[in-house]
Amino acid sequence: MLDAGKIITELQVMRDDGHLSDALLRKAVRSLSVDERFEWTGVYLLGAENELWLHNYIGEPTEHAKIPVGTGVCGRAVAERRNLNIKDVSKEENYLACSPDIQSELVVLIRAGDDIFGQIDIDSEQKAAFTDDDEIALIGIADKLAEQLAAEKREAS
Ligand code: SME
């Protein structure tokens, strides 16, 4: 079972030590991927061209290095500005398959206020693998990542 509180604390310690978003995004994926339900765990970031680009992941290689907003489950989450918990990916018309073994997918946005920075994307080989509690846990982690991304955006402007 996912210990989101521990992961969030570790991410905050990294922030306090001066680590930047790149390190935090990699740490979050590493920490999440220990859950045995999470066959593929990754982070996509929203780029300038209204496209998501794959920042880092653990799992099988994927051809979906870039995903336009609106395309697939990942792109739709951004277009609709909401998290998506897809219980059975075979019933999705707008779905980009990574591997034929994947049955369900959870996408949680990394956002601060109106700013969407990207998303955490998790795939499972079980149908309906993800619960509301998983979504809440991931929101906590995504919010901590968004805090750092928002701070870096402020500094850059
Ligand atoms: N299934 C996603 C694509 C990303 S892969 O799962 C890694 C989608 O439909 O957008």
Side-chain angles (χ1 to χ4, degrees):
M1 186 58 199
L2 203 55
D3 187 347
K6 181 166 175 275
I7 299 173
I8 292 165
T9 302
E10 288 169 353
L11 292 172
Q12 183 57 48
V13 169
M14 287 179 75
R15 294 192 70 207
D16 295 342
D17 288 346
H19 290 282
L20 298 179
S21 57
D22 184 63
L24 270 70
L25 294 166
R26 292 174 197 282
K27 164 73 180 166
V29 167
R30 278 201 308 277
S31 300
L32 286 168
S33 71
V34 300
D35 190 307
E36 72 277 359
R37 294 167 303 157
F38 298 3
E39 257 85 35
W40 192 96
T41 306
V43 164
Y44 282 92
L45 290 180
L46 190 56
E49 304 295 319
N50 224 23
E51 265 186 341
L52 290 160
W53 60 276
L54 185 53
H55 174 275
N56 87 102
Y57 69 94
I58 293 178
E60 290 293 308
T62 175
E63 63 189 283
H64 304 301
K66 285 190 175 170
I67 302 176
V69 169
T71 300
V73 174
C74 294
R76 191 149 62 82
V78 176
E80 297 178 6
R81 307 183 71 81
R82 65 188 179 107
N83 302 331
L84 291 175
N85 185 354
I86 307 295
K87 310 273 179 196
D88 181 353
V89 296
S90 71
K91 300 214 167 87
E92 286 294 304
E93 278 176 26
N94 190 358
Y95 172 68
L96 302 171
C98 267
S99 134
D101 299 328
I102 297 303
Q103 306 283 336
S104 58
E105 176 160 5
L106 176 61
V107 174
V108 170
L109 294 175
I110 301 171
R111 68 193 303 173
D114 284 342
D115 270 345
I116 295 177
F117 294 103
Q119 62 191 217
I120 300 172
D121 179 24
I122 297 178
D123 289 343
S124 174
E125 290 178 6
Q126 304 159 34
K127 277 205 171 65
F130 307 114
T131 63
D132 290 348
D133 284 346
D134 289 325
E135 184 178 340
I136 290 165
L138 284 186
I139 289 170
I141 295 164
D143 284 353
K144 185 52 71 183
L145 297 171
E147 244 177 87
Q148 179 60 33
L149 287 157
E152 288 172 21
K153 186 180 169 188
R154 274 196 306 276
E155 259 174 43
S157 65

